[in-house]
């Protein structure tokens, strides 16, 4: 099969397409013939040598895909050859075929075409597990997501809005913020021109955010704690702004707040399977009803993987970037 490999670590130019052995379905796995794969910022970190795949996972890039079941391994009863699916992966998506634990395979939601379905698994699993399973966002609470125009952000805005929360988001341009408003954001903040803590306080009458989903890490830690409401929950899922920062515990104690750091890729199969089951039960019906929709910026061919990584690294995209074999 054709798959994307890296010649060392570095910029997008280290990526190329090569012939690799076809994967085989082990016990409890299926092999999926890939229709499309989604890009994630973690792929860029892996390319630069900062985020290797977990032990035992494929070193081929790609943490989500859509496609058709081509082979079923021993003990798998819920999937059959020919089923159209989308999958949460630990790696291997930038390829023509990938082996996937059966519990990380999900049906394509009604009304979504097979290519577009590749934009769903990682964002849906990330948002559902962190914002709802971990942070417990409830209707009528205030939710802040940083980087609302990205893949995670566009999905988080829609899902939180659909489930009754008040949504605030940050973004870098007026066009991106307007798009976030069209998805359901009630409060939009230009992070280059405005202080998100002050804007949020004013918009909420001093209350702040009950839940914050943050991909910046150290750079935003102190300000995120400032932005929290009493009994607020800050969930850190990325480190684009660094890994080390001071935390004012007195401020956190005063707010009875929580800071939670999580990752998805390295979780055991059982944990990821439980998240996927929750996504299918709670999120897919909203997608089928059109209340939440995948946002795709561009679909490129596998041979255009360098351009795809350059586009993601530029931050010029809105929503997801996909690759098709």
């Amino acid at each position: 099969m054709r798959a994307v490999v890296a010649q060392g670590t570095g910029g997008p130019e280290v990526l190329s397409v090569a012939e690799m052995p076809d994967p085989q379905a082990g016990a409890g796995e299926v092999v999926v013939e890939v229709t499309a794969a989604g890009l994630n910022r973690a792929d860029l970190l892996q390319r630069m040598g900062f985020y290797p795949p977990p032990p035992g996972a494929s070193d081929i890039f790609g943490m989500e895909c859509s496609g058709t079941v081509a082979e079923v391994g021993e003990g798998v009863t819920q999937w059959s050859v020919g089923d159209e699916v989308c999958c949460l992966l630990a790696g291997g998506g930038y390829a023509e075929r990938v082996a996937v634990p059966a519990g990380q395979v999900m049906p394509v939601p009604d009304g979504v075409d097979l290519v577009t379905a590749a934009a769903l698994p990682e964002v849906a699993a990330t948002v559902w597990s962190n914002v709802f399973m971990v942070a417990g966002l409830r209707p009528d609470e205030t939710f802040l997501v940083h980087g609302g125009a990205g893949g995670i952000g566009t999905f988080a805005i829609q899902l939180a809005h659909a489930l009754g929360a008040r949504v605030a988001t940050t973004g870098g341009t007026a066009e991106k913020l307007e798009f976030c408003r069209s998805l359901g954001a009630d409060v939009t903040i230009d992070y280059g021109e405005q202080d998100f803590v002050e804007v949020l306080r004013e918009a909420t009458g001093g209350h702040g955010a009950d839940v914050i989903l943050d991909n910046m890490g150290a750079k935003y830690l102190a300000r995120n704690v400032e932005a929290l409401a009493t009994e607020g929950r800050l969930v850190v899922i990325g480190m684009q702004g660094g890994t080390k920062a001071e935390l004012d515990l007195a401020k956190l104690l005063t707010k009875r707040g929580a800071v939670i750091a999580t990752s998805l890729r390295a979780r055991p199969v059982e944990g990821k399977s439980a998240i996927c089951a929750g996504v299918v039960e709670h999120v897919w019906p909203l997608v089928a009803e059109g209340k939440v929709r995948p946002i795709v910026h561009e679909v490129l061919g596998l041979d255009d993987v360098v351009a795809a990584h350059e586009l993601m690294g530029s931050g010029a995209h809105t929503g997801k970037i996909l690759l098709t074999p």
Side-chain angles (χ1 to χ4, degrees), residues 54-174:
S58 172
D59 57 4
I60 295 170
F61 290 78
M63 295 165 55
E64 61 187 336
C65 74
S66 60
T68 305
V69 174
E71 181 186 340
V72 176
E74 180 184 351
V76 176
T77 58
Q78 66 269 50
W79 302 109
S80 301
V81 172
D83 287 344
E84 293 189 343
V85 297
C86 55
C87 313
L88 181 68
L89 310 172
Y94 292 16
E96 292 178 328
R97 288 192 166 206
V98 62
V100 193
Q104 293 170 217
V105 179
M106 297 174 282
V108 174
D110 290 343
V112 178
D113 69 83
L114 193 54
V115 170
T116 303
L120 286 169
E122 183 72 22
V123 294
T126 296
V127 174
W128 177 253
S129 63
N130 287 294
V131 177
F132 295 92
M133 293 175 68
V134 172
L137 181 68
R138 297 183 291 270
D140 299 322
E141 286 192 320
T142 297
F143 170 59
L144 168 64
V145 57
H146 290 294
I152 295 291
T154 53
F155 200 86
I157 289 168
Q158 293 181 84
L159 187 57
H161 174 76
L163 293 176
R166 185 182 191 190
V167 181
T169 191
T170 60
T173 69

Side-chain angles (χ1 to χ4, degrees), residues 22-38:
D22 282 350
Q24 305 298 314
E29 293 183 334
V30 302
V31 168
V32 172
E33 185 174 346
V34 176
T35 298

Side-chain angles (χ1 to χ4, degrees), residues 38 68 158 164 167 189 194 247 303:
T68 305
Q158 293 181 84
V167 181
I189 305 160
Q194 297 174 289
L247 175 63
D303 291 312

Side-chain angles (χ1 to χ4, degrees), residues 2-323:
R2 298 170 73 246
V4 172
V5 297
Q7 303 299 320
T9 59
E13 68 278 358
V14 304
L15 301 175
S16 62
V17 178
E19 288 291 331
M20 300 287 286
D22 282 350
Q24 305 298 314
E29 293 183 334
V30 302
V31 168
V32 172
E33 185 174 346
V34 176
T35 298
L39 269 69
N40 290 278
R41 193 155 294 276
D43 301 340
L44 277 62
L45 295 175
Q46 179 177 334
R47 188 199 71 220
M48 293 185 284
F50 300 135
Y51 193 39
S58 172
D59 57 4
I60 295 170
F61 290 78
M63 295 165 55
E64 61 187 336
C65 74
S66 60
T68 305
V69 174
E71 181 186 340
V72 176
E74 180 184 351
V76 176
T77 58
Q78 66 269 50
W79 302 109
S80 301
V81 172
D83 287 344
E84 293 189 343
V85 297
C86 55
C87 313
L88 181 68
L89 310 172
Y94 292 16
E96 292 178 328
R97 288 192 166 206
V98 62
V100 193
Q104 293 170 217
V105 179
M106 297 174 282
V108 174
D110 290 343
V112 178
D113 69 83
L114 193 54
V115 170
T116 303
L120 286 169
E122 183 72 22
V123 294
T126 296
V127 174
W128 177 253
S129 63
N130 287 294
V131 177
F132 295 92
M133 293 175 68
V134 172
L137 181 68
R138 297 183 291 270
D140 299 322
E141 286 192 320
T142 297
F143 170 59
L144 168 64
V145 57
H146 290 294
I152 295 291
T154 53
F155 200 86
I157 289 168
Q158 293 181 84
L159 187 57
H161 174 76
L163 293 176
R166 185 182 191 190
V167 181
T169 191
T170 60
T173 69
E175 293 78 14
K176 286 185 176 183
L177 292 175
E178 179 58 36
F179 186 69
C180 291
R181 281 190 285 273
S182 76
L183 297 177
D186 302 287
V187 181
T188 56
I189 305 160
D190 184 333
Y191 61 72
E193 302 291 335
Q194 297 174 289
D195 182 332
F196 72 85
V197 178
E198 295 303 321
V199 174
L200 192 64
R201 279 178 178 161
E202 183 175 349
T204 61
H207 178 79
D210 298 286
V211 174
I212 300 175
L213 186 65
D214 174 64
N215 58 2
M216 292 301 293
K219 183 178 180 180
Y220 276 19
L221 179 61
R223 300 301 286 161
N224 278 331
V225 171
E226 286 276 359
L228 281 178
T230 300
E231 298 186 351
R233 293 84 73 195
L234 165 62
V235 185
V236 181
I237 60 169
M239 299 175 291
Q240 293 179 43
T243 62
K244 296 181 180 180
E246 288 191 3
L247 175 63
D248 188 339
L249 289 174
K251 192 155 289 182
L252 196 63
L253 282 166
T254 299
K255 294 191 173 189
R256 302 190 299 279
V259 178
I260 307 156
T262 78
S263 66
L264 181 60
R265 188 182 196 184
R267 294 191 193 202
V269 170
E270 295 77 12
K272 286 187 277 193
S273 298
I275 291 169
C276 288
V279 166
V280 172
E281 180 181 357
H282 300 285
V283 181
W284 273 195
L286 296 172
V287 176
E289 293 171 22
K291 295 180 178 178
V292 178
R293 60 187 175 93
I295 306 297
V296 176
H297 180 88
E298 190 168 358
V299 181
L300 298 169
L302 203 63
D303 291 312
D304 296 319
V305 64
V306 170
H309 271 234
E310 288 174 342
L311 175 57
M312 171 157 272
S314 75
H317 61 292
T318 298
K320 297 286 291 189
I321 302 164
L322 305 180
L323 292 173

